Coordinates of all heavy atoms in Angstrom, one line a residue:
M7 N 0.8 -1.2 0.0 CA 0.0 0.0 0.0 C 0.9 1.2 0.0 O 1.9 1.3 0.6 CB -0.9 0.0 1.2 CG -2.2 0.7 1.0 SD -3.4 0.3 2.3 CE -4.2 -1.1 1.5
K8 N 0.5 2.3 -0.7 CA 1.2 3.5 -0.8 C 0.5 4.6 0.0 O -0.7 4.8 -0.1 CB 1.4 3.9 -2.3 CG 2.4 5.0 -2.5 CD 2.6 5.2 -4.0 CE 3.6 6.3 -4.2 NZ 3.9 6.5 -5.6
Y9 N 1.3 5.5 0.7 CA 0.8 6.6 1.5 C 1.5 7.9 1.1 O 2.6 7.9 0.7 CB 1.0 6.3 3.0 CG 0.3 5.1 3.5 CD1 0.8 3.8 3.5 CD2 -1.0 5.3 4.0 CE1 0.1 2.7 3.9 CE2 -1.7 4.2 4.4 CZ -1.2 2.9 4.4 OH -1.9 1.8 4.9
V10 N 0.8 9.0 1.4 CA 1.3 10.3 1.3 C 1.0 11.0 2.6 O -0.2 10.9 3.1 CB 0.6 11.1 0.1 CG1 1.0 12.5 0.1 CG2 1.0 10.4 -1.3
V11 N 1.9 11.7 3.1 CA 1.7 12.5 4.4 C 2.0 14.0 4.1 O 3.0 14.3 3.6 CB 2.7 12.0 5.5 CG1 2.4 12.8 6.8 CG2 2.5 10.5 5.8
L12 N 1.0 14.8 4.4 CA 1.1 16.3 4.2 C 0.8 17.0 5.5 O 0.0 16.5 6.3 CB 0.1 16.7 3.1 CG 0.3 16.1 1.8 CD1 -0.8 16.5 0.8 CD2 1.7 16.5 1.2
Q13 N 1.4 18.2 5.7 CA 1.0 19.0 6.8 C 0.5 20.4 6.3 O 1.0 20.9 5.4 CB 2.2 19.3 7.7 CG 2.6 18.0 8.5 CD 3.7 18.3 9.5 OE1 4.6 19.1 9.3 NE2 3.7 17.6 10.6
V14 N -0.5 20.9 7.0 CA -1.1 22.1 6.7 C -1.3 22.9 8.0 O -1.6 22.4 9.0 CB -2.6 21.9 6.1 CG1 -3.2 23.2 5.8 CG2 -2.5 21.0 4.9
I15 N -1.0 24.2 7.9 CA -1.1 25.1 9.1 C -2.4 25.9 8.9 O -2.6 26.6 7.9 CB 0.1 26.1 9.2 CG1 1.4 25.3 9.3 CG2 -0.2 27.0 10.4 CD1 1.5 24.4 10.6
L16 N -3.4 25.7 9.8 CA -4.6 26.4 9.8 C -4.5 27.6 10.7 O -4.1 27.4 11.9 CB -5.8 25.5 10.2 CG -5.9 24.3 9.4 CD1 -7.0 23.4 10.0 CD2 -6.3 24.6 7.9
K17 N -4.8 28.8 10.3 CA -4.7 30.0 11.1 C -6.1 30.5 11.5 O -6.9 30.7 10.7 CB -4.0 31.1 10.3 CG -2.6 30.7 9.8 CD -2.1 31.7 8.8 CE -0.8 31.1 8.2 NZ -0.5 31.7 6.9
E18 N -6.3 30.5 12.8 CA -7.6 31.0 13.3 C -7.6 32.5 13.3 O -6.6 33.2 13.5 CB -7.7 30.5 14.8 CG -7.9 29.0 14.9 CD -9.2 28.5 14.2 OE1 -10.3 29.2 14.4 OE2 -9.2 27.5 13.6
K19 N -8.8 33.0 13.1 CA -9.0 34.5 13.0 C -8.8 35.1 14.4 O -9.1 34.4 15.4 CB -10.4 34.8 12.5 CG -10.6 34.4 11.1 CD -12.0 34.8 10.7 CE -12.4 34.3 9.3 NZ -13.7 34.6 9.0
F20 N -8.3 36.3 14.5 CA -8.0 37.0 15.7 C -9.4 37.3 16.4 O -9.6 37.1 17.6 CB -7.2 38.2 15.5 CG -7.1 39.1 16.8 CD1 -6.3 38.6 17.8 CD2 -7.7 40.3 16.9 CE1 -6.2 39.3 19.0 CE2 -7.5 41.1 18.0 CZ -6.8 40.6 19.1
I21 N -10.3 37.8 15.6 CA -11.6 38.1 16.1 C -12.6 37.2 15.5 O -12.7 37.0 14.3 CB -12.0 39.6 15.8 CG1 -11.0 40.5 16.4 CG2 -13.4 39.9 16.2 CD1 -11.1 42.0 16.0
G22 N -13.4 36.6 16.3 CA -14.4 35.6 15.8 C -13.9 34.2 15.7 O -12.8 33.9 16.2
A23 N -14.6 33.4 15.1 CA -14.1 32.0 15.0 C -14.1 31.5 13.6 O -14.6 32.2 12.7 CB -15.1 31.1 15.8
G24 N -13.3 30.5 13.3 CA -13.2 30.0 12.0 C -11.8 30.1 11.4 O -11.1 31.1 11.8
S25 N -11.4 29.2 10.6 CA -10.1 29.2 10.0 C -10.1 30.1 8.7 O -11.1 30.1 8.0 CB -9.7 27.8 9.7 OG -8.5 27.8 9.0
K26 N -9.0 30.7 8.5 CA -8.9 31.6 7.3 C -8.6 30.8 6.1 O -8.8 31.3 5.0 CB -7.7 32.6 7.5 CG -8.0 33.6 8.6 CD -6.8 34.6 8.7 CE -7.0 35.6 9.7 NZ -5.9 36.5 9.8
N27 N -8.1 29.5 6.2 CA -7.7 28.8 5.1 C -8.2 27.4 5.0 O -7.6 26.5 4.5 CB -6.1 28.8 5.0 CG -5.5 28.2 6.2 OD1 -6.1 28.0 7.2 ND2 -4.2 27.9 6.1
L28 N -9.5 27.3 5.3 CA -10.2 26.0 5.1 C -10.3 25.6 3.7 O -10.2 24.4 3.3 CB -11.6 25.9 5.8 CG -11.6 25.8 7.3 CD1 -13.0 25.8 7.8 CD2 -10.9 24.5 7.7
S29 N -10.4 26.6 2.8 CA -10.4 26.3 1.4 C -9.1 25.6 0.9 O -9.1 24.8 0.0 CB -10.7 27.5 0.5 OG -9.8 28.5 0.7
E30 N -8.0 26.0 1.5 CA -6.7 25.4 1.1 C -6.7 23.9 1.5 O -6.2 23.1 0.8 CB -5.6 26.2 1.9 CG -4.2 25.5 1.6 CD -3.1 26.2 2.5 OE1 -3.3 27.2 3.1 OE2 -2.0 25.6 2.5
L31 N -7.2 23.7 2.7 CA -7.3 22.3 3.2 C -8.2 21.5 2.3 O -7.8 20.3 1.9 CB -7.9 22.3 4.6 CG -8.0 20.9 5.3 CD1 -6.6 20.2 5.4 CD2 -8.6 21.1 6.7
E32 N -9.3 22.0 1.8 CA -10.2 21.4 0.9 C -9.5 21.1 -0.4 O -9.7 20.0 -1.0 CB -11.5 22.2 0.7 CG -12.5 21.6 -0.2 CD -13.7 22.4 -0.3 OE1 -13.7 23.6 0.1 OE2 -14.7 21.9 -0.9
E33 N -8.8 22.0 -0.9 CA -8.0 21.8 -2.2 C -7.0 20.7 -2.1 O -6.9 19.9 -3.0 CB -7.3 23.1 -2.6 CG -8.3 24.2 -3.1 CD -7.6 25.5 -3.4 OE1 -6.3 25.5 -3.6 OE2 -8.2 26.6 -3.4
I34 N -6.3 20.6 -1.0 CA -5.4 19.6 -0.8 C -6.0 18.2 -0.8 O -5.6 17.3 -1.4 CB -4.5 19.8 0.5 CG1 -3.6 21.0 0.3 CG2 -3.8 18.5 0.9 CD1 -3.0 21.5 1.6
I35 N -7.1 18.1 0.0 CA -7.9 16.8 0.0 C -8.4 16.4 -1.3 O -8.2 15.3 -1.8 CB -9.0 16.9 1.1 CG1 -8.4 17.0 2.5 CG2 -9.9 15.6 1.0 CD1 -9.4 17.3 3.6
N36 N -9.0 17.4 -2.0 CA -9.6 17.1 -3.4 C -8.4 16.8 -4.4 O -8.6 15.9 -5.2 CB -10.4 18.2 -3.9 CG -11.7 18.3 -3.2 OD1 -12.3 17.3 -2.8 ND2 -12.3 19.5 -3.1
G37 N -7.3 17.4 -4.2 CA -6.2 17.2 -5.1 C -5.6 15.8 -5.0 O -5.3 15.1 -6.0
Q38 N -5.6 15.3 -3.7 CA -5.1 13.9 -3.5 C -6.1 12.9 -4.0 O -5.8 11.9 -4.5 CB -4.8 13.7 -2.0 CG -3.5 14.5 -1.5 CD -2.3 14.1 -2.3 OE1 -1.9 13.0 -2.5 NE2 -1.6 15.2 -2.8
A39 N -7.4 13.2 -3.8 CA -8.5 12.3 -4.3 C -8.4 12.2 -5.8 O -8.6 11.1 -6.3 CB -9.8 12.9 -3.9
E40 N -8.1 13.3 -6.5 CA -7.9 13.2 -8.0 C -6.8 12.3 -8.4 O -6.8 11.7 -9.5 CB -7.7 14.6 -8.6 CG -9.0 15.4 -8.5 CD -8.7 16.9 -9.0 OE1 -7.6 17.2 -9.4 OE2 -9.7 17.7 -8.9
K41 N -5.8 12.2 -7.5 CA -4.6 11.3 -7.8 C -4.8 9.9 -7.3 O -4.0 9.0 -7.4 CB -3.4 11.9 -7.0 CG -2.9 13.2 -7.5 CD -1.8 13.7 -6.7 CE -1.4 15.1 -7.1 NZ -0.3 15.7 -6.3
G42 N -6.1 9.6 -6.8 CA -6.4 8.2 -6.4 C -6.1 7.9 -5.0 O -6.0 6.7 -4.6
Y43 N -6.0 8.9 -4.1 CA -5.8 8.7 -2.7 C -7.0 9.1 -1.9 O -7.8 10.0 -2.4 CB -4.6 9.6 -2.2 CG -3.2 9.1 -2.7 CD1 -2.7 9.6 -3.9 CD2 -2.5 8.3 -1.9 CE1 -1.5 9.1 -4.3 CE2 -1.2 7.9 -2.3 CZ -0.7 8.3 -3.5 OH 0.5 7.9 -4.0
R44 N -7.2 8.5 -0.8 CA -8.3 8.9 0.1 C -7.7 9.3 1.5 O -6.6 8.7 1.9 CB -9.3 7.8 0.3 CG -8.8 6.6 1.0 CD -9.9 5.6 1.3 NE -9.4 4.4 1.9 CZ -10.1 3.4 2.2 NH1 -11.3 3.3 2.0 NH2 -9.5 2.4 2.8
L45 N -8.3 10.1 2.2 CA -7.9 10.6 3.5 C -8.0 9.4 4.4 O -9.1 8.9 4.7 CB -8.7 11.8 3.9 CG -8.2 12.4 5.3 CD1 -6.8 12.9 5.2 CD2 -9.2 13.6 5.6
H46 N -6.9 9.0 5.0 CA -6.9 7.9 5.9 C -7.0 8.4 7.4 O -7.8 7.9 8.2 CB -5.7 7.0 5.7 CG -5.5 5.9 6.6 ND1 -5.0 6.0 7.9 CD2 -5.9 4.6 6.5 CE1 -5.0 4.8 8.5 NE2 -5.5 3.9 7.6
T47 N -6.2 9.3 7.7 CA -6.1 9.8 9.1 C -5.7 11.3 9.1 O -5.0 11.8 8.2 CB -4.9 9.1 9.8 OG1 -5.1 7.7 9.8 CG2 -4.8 9.5 11.3
I48 N -6.3 12.0 10.0 CA -5.9 13.4 10.2 C -5.7 13.6 11.7 O -6.5 13.1 12.6 CB -7.0 14.4 9.7 CG1 -6.5 15.8 9.8 CG2 -8.3 14.2 10.4 CD1 -7.4 16.8 9.1
S49 N -4.6 14.3 12.1 CA -4.4 14.6 13.5 C -4.0 16.1 13.6 O -3.5 16.7 12.6 CB -3.3 13.8 14.1 OG -2.0 14.0 13.5
T50 N -4.3 16.7 14.7 CA -4.0 18.2 14.8 C -3.3 18.5 16.1 O -3.4 17.7 17.1 CB -5.3 19.0 14.8 OG1 -6.1 18.5 15.9 CG2 -6.1 18.8 13.5
A51 N -2.5 19.5 16.1 CA -1.8 20.0 17.2 C -2.1 21.5 17.2 O -1.9 22.2 16.2 CB -0.3 19.7 17.2
S52 N -2.4 22.1 18.4 CA -2.7 23.5 18.4 C -1.6 24.3 19.2 O -1.1 23.8 20.2 CB -4.1 23.7 19.2 OG -4.4 25.0 19.3
S53 N -1.4 25.5 18.7 CA -0.5 26.4 19.5 C -0.9 27.8 19.3 O -1.4 28.2 18.3 CB 1.0 26.3 18.9 OG 1.0 26.7 17.6
G54 N -0.9 28.5 20.4 CA -1.2 30.0 20.4 C -0.1 30.8 19.9 O 1.1 30.4 20.0
T55 N -0.4 32.0 19.4 CA 0.7 32.9 18.9 C 0.5 34.2 19.7 O -0.6 34.5 20.2 CB 0.6 33.2 17.4 OG1 -0.7 33.7 17.2 CG2 0.8 31.9 16.6
K56 N 1.6 34.9 19.8 CA 1.6 36.2 20.5 C 1.7 37.3 19.5 O 2.2 37.1 18.4 CB 2.8 36.2 21.5 CG 2.7 35.2 22.6 CD 3.8 35.3 23.5 CE 3.7 34.2 24.6 NZ 4.8 34.2 25.5
G57 N 1.2 38.4 19.8 CA 1.2 39.5 18.9 C -0.1 40.1 18.7 O -1.2 39.5 19.1
L58 N -0.1 41.3 18.2 CA -1.4 42.1 18.1 C -2.4 41.4 17.2 O -3.5 41.3 17.5 CB -1.1 43.5 17.5 CG -2.3 44.4 17.3 CD1 -3.0 44.7 18.6 CD2 -1.8 45.7 16.6
M59 N -2.0 40.9 16.0 CA -2.9 40.3 15.1 C -2.7 38.7 15.1 O -2.9 38.1 14.1 CB -2.7 40.8 13.7 CG -3.1 42.3 13.6 SD -4.7 42.7 14.1 CE -5.7 42.0 12.8
G60 N -2.4 38.2 16.3 CA -2.1 36.8 16.4 C -3.3 35.9 16.1 O -4.0 36.1 15.2
G61 N -3.6 35.0 17.0 CA -4.6 34.0 16.7 C -4.0 32.7 16.8 O -2.7 32.5 16.7
D62 N -4.8 31.7 17.1 CA -4.2 30.3 17.2 C -3.8 29.7 15.9 O -4.3 30.1 14.8 CB -5.3 29.4 17.9 CG -5.5 29.7 19.3 OD1 -4.6 30.3 19.9 OD2 -6.5 29.4 19.9
R63 N -2.9 28.8 15.9 CA -2.5 28.1 14.8 C -2.7 26.6 15.1 O -2.4 26.1 16.1 CB -1.0 28.3 14.5 CG -0.6 29.8 14.3 CD 0.2 29.9 13.0 NE 0.7 31.3 12.9 CZ 0.0 32.3 12.4 NH1 -1.2 32.2 12.0 NH2 0.6 33.5 12.2
I64 N -3.2 25.9 14.1 CA -3.5 24.5 14.2 C -2.7 23.8 13.1 O -2.9 24.1 11.9 CB -5.0 24.2 14.1 CG1 -5.8 24.8 15.2 CG2 -5.2 22.6 14.1 CD1 -7.3 24.8 15.0
Q65 N -1.8 22.9 13.5 CA -1.0 22.1 12.5 C -1.8 20.8 12.3 O -2.0 20.0 13.2 CB 0.4 21.8 13.0 CG 1.2 21.0 12.1 CD 2.6 20.7 12.6 OE1 3.2 21.6 13.1 NE2 3.0 19.5 12.6
A66 N -2.2 20.6 11.1 CA -3.0 19.4 10.7 C -2.0 18.5 9.9 O -1.4 18.9 8.9 CB -4.2 19.7 9.9
T67 N -1.9 17.3 10.3 CA -1.1 16.2 9.6 C -2.2 15.3 9.0 O -3.0 14.7 9.7 CB -0.2 15.5 10.5 OG1 0.7 16.4 11.2 CG2 0.6 14.5 9.8
L68 N -2.1 15.2 7.6 CA -3.0 14.4 6.9 C -2.3 13.2 6.3 O -1.2 13.4 5.7 CB -3.7 15.2 5.8 CG -4.5 16.4 6.2 CD1 -3.6 17.6 6.3 CD2 -5.6 16.6 5.2
V69 N -2.8 12.0 6.5 CA -2.3 10.8 5.9 C -3.3 10.3 4.8 O -4.5 10.0 5.2 CB -2.0 9.7 6.9 CG1 -1.5 8.4 6.3 CG2 -1.1 10.2 8.0
F70 N -2.8 10.2 3.6 CA -3.6 9.6 2.5 C -3.1 8.3 2.1 O -1.9 8.0 2.1 CB -3.5 10.6 1.3 CG -4.1 12.0 1.5 CD1 -3.3 13.0 2.0 CD2 -5.4 12.3 1.3 CE1 -3.8 14.2 2.2 CE2 -5.9 13.5 1.5 CZ -5.1 14.5 2.0
E71 N -4.0 7.4 1.7 CA -3.6 6.1 1.2 C -4.2 5.9 -0.2 O -5.2 6.4 -0.5 CB -4.1 4.9 2.1 CG -5.6 4.7 2.2 CD -5.9 3.5 3.1 OE1 -5.0 2.8 3.5 OE2 -7.1 3.3 3.3
K72 N -3.4 5.2 -1.0 CA -3.8 4.9 -2.4 C -5.0 4.0 -2.4 O -5.0 3.0 -1.6 CB -2.6 4.3 -3.1 CG -2.8 4.2 -4.6 CD -2.6 5.5 -5.2 CE -2.4 5.4 -6.7 NZ -2.4 6.6 -7.4
I73 N -6.0 4.3 -3.2 CA -7.2 3.5 -3.3 C -6.9 2.3 -4.2 O -6.3 2.4 -5.2 CB -8.4 4.3 -3.8 CG1 -8.6 5.4 -2.8 CG2 -9.6 3.4 -3.9 CD1 -9.7 6.4 -3.2

């Protein structure tokens, strides 16, 4: 079986809720699906940032397997 592992950093908005780049995550998943892979596992790690326009950062690790 063949696997692909990718990491994506999701940036949370400073004011309000929601990620600024969920469309990027969607593009990555759809791109791998077009290549014949399916999302097998996703794990996340969260870290806060400091600064005026900070916001949380979530590191998502995605594991795709060949169908």
